[in-house]
Amino acid sequence: MKQEILFSMKSPYRDEFKIQGFRFGEGEKSVAIVGAMRGDEVQQQFTCSQIVKNLMEMEEAGLLVPGHEILVIPSANHFSMNINKRFWAMDNTDINRMFPGYEKGETTQRIASAVFDSVKGYKYGIQLASFYLPGEFIPHVRMMNTGFQDTNLALKFGLPYVFVRQPKPYDTTLLNYNWQVFDTQAFSIYAGDTNIINKESAKIAWTSILRFLDKMGIIKHTIHNGFCSSIISEKNLQSIMSDSAGILYSLKESGDEIKKGDILAKVLDPFNGKVLSEIFSPITGTIFFAHQKPLIHEHTVLFKIIDFNYSNEVKNE
Amino acid sequence: MIKTIISEGLPVDEKLIIRKNIITGKAGNKRLCIVTGTHGDELEGQYVCFELIRRLNENIQFLEGTVEIYPALNPLGLDSVKRGYPTFDLDMNRIFPGDVKGHLIENIAHQIVQDLKGADMVIDIHSSNIFLREMPQARVNVQMADQLVPFAEMLNIDFVWVHDAATVLESTLAHSLNVIGTPTLVVEMGIGMRITRAYGDQLIEGIINLMQNMGMWSGPVSDEISTPQLSTKGEVCFINAETSGIIIPTVSHSVDIKKGDLLCQIVDPFEGTVLEDVLSPVDGLVFTLRTYPVVYEGSLIARIFSKKCPKS
Ligand SMILES: [Zn+2]
């Protein structure tokens, strides 16, 4: 393993800002893995650090297959992480909305450009991602529907679901999108939380990445096959919205299987605890996403439920 | 007449309320909408709302049609000195036309578009951010230039920036309205967290001039409406800091400068040394200038409009 400084920048008053890369093996540029790009992605950083740890042990044991290069960047934004900010320390811009970056542009465009220069050209790109809404997902791997994506590859992670997302205009500046445009098969791994460390879901994430590397012949890592993933898209998900605001009292969480008519959550009056509304499931399915903050706004998504009937229809097409 | 267009529940005993003032003149069915306060740290539009409403109310006999004024699309941000929508992660001007299946704020974005839809003209006033001062200007997507530039030129502003189409900008309020046939102009002026009264007064004269041209105003109009420079007649040059440090300004905003003129110095307050002399690469007009002193490598220092900008 070679530890390298991929980008460095002097700050006016703080210590130097550096992006470190951990490069394993030599040969074909096989896989690049990127961890925290936002300051609250502690879970993502932790997961990446565990991948580095595992790969170092495998290297020692001779389990890296020769002829492959693996690059891991656990953190591209600790200047924000160290001061408890999600977005860039100085101007609140989002590094993951700056790709492919611009080396002569604004600070975060330069950071994105440096990251992208380091990670482009790899066969596979894996990003440990977080969502813009607070909540918990079933562990899944996400690909963008850019027309270049190969969803069958995503099955090799052995996570319960592969989610194919239709990019919105604003998504064209994400790392995942740009990777695919530049011929890298790009995957985003969503496993649970963001600003806390959940050891179980982190382990699911790093195990799935090691499984993928094994299946692709990049490392030798004997492990069970994981799940036989279902491929789903936004069309398979039914959003359950709040019809009042208050304290959210959730009765179900992500991964739970539910029947039509099951009660999912209650919204409570924040003064007297009275039940303002009860949220029932309109369908039978599995909870893919569950809102996790204790307070809920009106007209906000509480759950996304996978509608398996819909899913089957799609597969039969 | 103040009308509440959106009232949605927040968790504890509060509604998120978005309101507009509808000012109706005599006969006439044209509708002009002025919106601002999408970014809670941009306040220049507040003076424009206040002063325009005051003038319209005092001269209501000249108004034909309806002017609707929305001072605060992001009331939570304005009231808490936050650029974004508190509790929500994405820039509000990147989630249009909204989504009724997402967060409340995405739902609100959808409702805002529905409320503005069908107006004869919408003017969306922004005021940069806390770092940069902007000369009063309109920004127009090149795809809309033929339709919108003639109206932008009526606004008594100094500059019209016709910019390239970028996919990411398809999520703005202005683009979302323009694609559904509701013409929308974006005005950028001044600086975040401050009000520059002269800029506000300048734009108000322009709005009244625009209203006259649209057949919505029969009263007097300033006879000193300026003709803005048009970016398509030259090029916009970006100057970014190449060193992190503190900037000591040299030039003023909105001035013409020559190639080689000193824009600012980036200095090191520990060593007492100059780290970088930032020179203008062109002759031109400084229409954006950084006022916030702390810079990192890459921080934007100025934008200069030049007829001879070298291709970067
Ligand atoms: Zn703005």
Side-chain angles (χ1 to χ4, degrees):
Chain A
M1 186 271 293
K2 282 184 299 221
Q3 185 172 346
E4 299 165 23
I5 293 172
L6 303 172
F7 177 78
S8 72
M9 178 179 65
K10 282 206 169 63
S11 109
Y13 300 103
R14 295 175 67 175
D15 199 357
E16 196 173 7
F17 174 71
K18 302 181 286 290
I19 297 178
Q20 310 231 23
F22 297 80
R23 207 182 292 274
F24 297 86
E26 280 176 6
E28 186 194 27
K29 291 172 93 174
S30 294
V31 62
I33 302 170
V34 179
M37 280 195 280
R38 292 162 181 151
D40 60 348
E41 292 178 345
V42 186
Q43 169 87 341
Q44 288 70 13
Q45 172 133 12
F46 172 68
T47 305
C48 238
S49 70
Q50 293 300 313
I51 293 167
V52 171
K53 177 172 179 269
N54 274 274
L55 290 175
M56 285 168 73
E57 288 165 6
M58 287 177 194
E59 185 173 49
E60 193 86 342
L63 296 173
L64 304 184
V65 175
H68 294 283
E69 187 189 303
I70 305 168
L71 175 67
V72 188
I73 303 177
S75 164
N77 194 2
H78 40 281
F79 250 38
S80 302
M81 192 172 281
N82 285 336
I83 59 169
N84 278 355
K85 280 186 79 172
R86 178 163 163 85
F87 298 122
W88 179 243
M90 173 76 181
D91 61 9
N92 251 342
T93 53
D94 184 357
I95 294 169
N96 199 24
R97 299 274 176 197
M98 293 290 164
F99 286 97
Y102 178 44
E103 63 181 0
K104 292 188 161 61
E106 290 263 4
T107 310
T108 43
Q109 290 177 311
R110 292 179 186 214
I111 295 170
S113 165
V115 171
F116 199 62
D117 273 352
S118 305
V119 302
K120 87 177 166 207
Y122 283 81
K123 205 162 164 193
Y124 310 114
I126 301 170
Q127 190 213 340
L128 293 143
S130 71
F131 197 51
Y132 75 99
L133 296 177
E136 198 181 24
F137 280 107
I138 292 188
H140 69 278
V141 53
R142 217 172 248 236
M143 295 193 89
M144 290 237 203
N145 187 5
T146 53
F148 309 107
Q149 84 286 359
D150 179 353
T151 39
N152 287 324
L153 286 172
L155 303 174
K156 314 261 185 212
F157 287 88
L159 286 171
Y161 293 93
V162 172
F163 183 73
V164 182
R165 177 176 153 84
Q166 201 58 40
K168 293 184 177 179
Y170 196 31
D171 293 332
T172 54
T173 52
L174 295 175
L175 170 60
N176 187 307
Y177 184 92
N178 283 281
W179 249 336
Q180 285 197 40
V181 169
F182 286 81
D183 283 336
T184 292
Q185 288 293 334
F187 312 95
S188 299
I189 306 290
Y190 286 78
D193 306 273
T194 300
N195 48 11
I196 57 162
I197 288 177
N198 177 332
K199 281 178 245 163
E200 276 164 44
S201 55
K203 187 163 187 182
I204 292 172
W206 88 66
T207 306
S208 76
I209 291 171
L210 296 177
R211 180 184 296 122
F212 177 83
L213 298 184
D214 176 58
K215 293 246 154 102
M216 293 331 223
I218 299 165
I219 61 173
K220 290 191 201 117
H221 180 67
T222 314
I223 185 179
H224 63 87
N225 281 326
F227 290 87
C228 176
S229 323
S230 307
I231 300 175
I232 57 167
S233 72
E234 204 66 63
K235 288 185 210 147
N236 303 112
L237 297 178
Q238 179 138 352
S239 295
I240 313 294
M241 311 299 291
S242 58
D243 54 5
S244 48
I247 291 176
L248 177 64
Y249 187 81
S250 277
L251 298 161
K252 300 285 179 190
E253 53 189 44
S254 72
D256 284 353
E257 280 163 31
I258 45 157
K259 293 219 166 50
K260 181 175 175 175
D262 280 357
I263 184 159
L264 304 176
K266 296 175 185 178
V267 179
L268 308 180
D269 184 305
F271 292 128
N272 59 23
K274 241 170 61 183
V275 176
L276 297 173
S277 83
E278 292 179 309
I279 312 293
F280 297 99
S281 179
I283 55 166
T284 295
T286 302
I287 299 178
F288 185 66
F289 170 79
H291 182 98
Q292 244 187 352
K293 285 248 167 99
L295 298 176
I296 188 75
H297 292 61
E298 195 177 353
H299 293 138
T300 289
V301 60
L302 289 172
F303 298 96
K304 287 180 188 258
I305 300 177
I306 304 163
D307 183 348
F308 283 108
N309 292 324
Y310 198 98
S311 169
N312 290 338
E313 279 165 31
V314 169
K315 273 182 196 154
N316 294 341
E317 271 172 5
Chain B
M1 180 193 69
I2 309 282
K3 184 179 174 201
T4 296
I5 62 159
I6 290 167
S7 172
E8 296 278 356
L10 292 171
V12 188
D13 199 24
E14 184 185 352
K15 294 275 185 195
L16 195 171
I17 299 164
I18 298 182
R19 295 174 298 168
K20 64 179 174 185
N21 189 345
I22 305 171
I23 301 171
T24 309
K26 38 184 190 185
N29 49 16
K30 288 269 167 70
R31 177 179 168 224
L32 169 69
C33 297
I34 312 292
V35 301
T36 191
T38 305
H39 294 131
D41 61 350
E42 300 179 16
L43 303 173
E44 303 274 10
Q46 301 308 312
Y47 174 72
V48 176
C49 292
F50 155 76
E51 180 62 10
L52 185 62
I53 293 169
R54 192 188 69 75
R55 284 214 217 171
L56 291 176
N57 282 339
E58 276 184 12
N59 301 281
I60 194 76
Q61 70 276 17
F62 299 130
L63 176 63
E64 288 171 30
T66 304
V67 178
E68 298 186 353
I69 298 175
Y70 304 63
L73 296 187
N74 175 5
L76 300 181
L78 282 159
D79 259 19
S80 61
V81 204
K82 291 251 176 344
R83 181 172 181 80
Y85 236 101
T87 77
F88 186 67
D89 237 20
L90 302 176
D91 181 335
M92 190 188 190
N93 209 20
R94 295 290 181 275
I95 58 168
F96 287 99
D99 179 4
V100 292
K101 298 264 180 201
H103 188 279
L104 176 60
I105 310 309
E106 292 169 285
N107 184 312
I108 283 172
H110 169 80
Q111 295 185 54
I112 288 170
V113 170
Q114 297 311 307
D115 201 76
L116 291 166
K117 195 166 78 178
D120 295 284
M121 181 60 70
V122 177
I123 300 174
D124 181 12
I125 303 171
H126 288 258
S127 42
S128 185
N129 54 36
I130 63 166
F131 304 108
L132 304 166
R133 176 173 283 278
E134 297 283 358
M135 205 160 115
Q137 60 196 270
R139 300 217 177 137
V140 178
N141 186 319
V142 67
Q143 293 166 330
M144 295 297 299
D146 289 348
Q147 193 193 336
L148 291 179
V149 168
F151 291 99
E153 288 179 322
M154 296 171 193
L155 282 177
N156 194 34
I157 48 178
D158 301 325
F159 186 53
V160 177
W161 186 359
V162 178
H163 60 81
D164 289 341
T167 315
V168 47
L169 295 178
E170 289 172 13
S171 314
T172 61
L173 174 62
H175 189 270
S176 301
L177 287 168
N178 278 320
V179 293
I180 58 169
T182 300
T184 303
L185 286 167
V186 174
V187 171
E188 278 283 0
M189 63 180 199
I191 186 162
M193 293 190 180
R194 295 288 180 270
I195 284 177
T196 313
R197 188 171 181 168
Y199 287 172
D201 287 331
Q202 185 182 341
L203 180 63
I204 289 164
E205 297 303 337
I207 292 172
I208 288 171
N209 180 51
L210 173 87
M211 286 168 61
Q212 188 201 50
N213 279 281
M214 288 172 69
M216 293 182 70
W217 184 255
S218 57
V221 171
S222 164
D223 49 14
E224 290 177 347
I225 299 296
S226 67
T227 308
Q229 302 207 44
L230 197 57
S231 70
T232 48
K233 305 255 166 72
E235 279 189 78
V236 171
C237 206
F238 291 65
I239 293 112
N240 299 75
E242 291 310 323
T243 320
S244 299
I246 297 299
I247 57 170
I248 308 296
T250 308
V251 295
S252 326
H253 191 257
S254 309
V255 296
D256 281 308
I257 52 161
K258 290 262 174 296
K259 181 175 175 174
D261 282 355
L262 186 64
L263 289 168
C264 68
Q265 290 183 310
I266 302 178
V267 303
D268 179 341
F270 288 100
E271 302 277 353
T273 52
V274 175
L275 300 170
E276 185 187 343
D277 285 325
V278 182
L279 306 178
S280 176
V282 288
D283 294 357
L285 172 68
V286 181
F287 73 92
T288 303
L289 186 65
R290 188 178 188 89
T291 64
Y292 193 81
V294 181
V295 291
Y296 276 85
E297 284 174 32
S299 296
L300 187 66
I301 286 182
R303 294 190 195 101
I304 299 176
F305 173 63
S306 157
K307 293 181 179 168
K308 290 169 274 182
C309 189
K311 273 273 180 221
S312 53

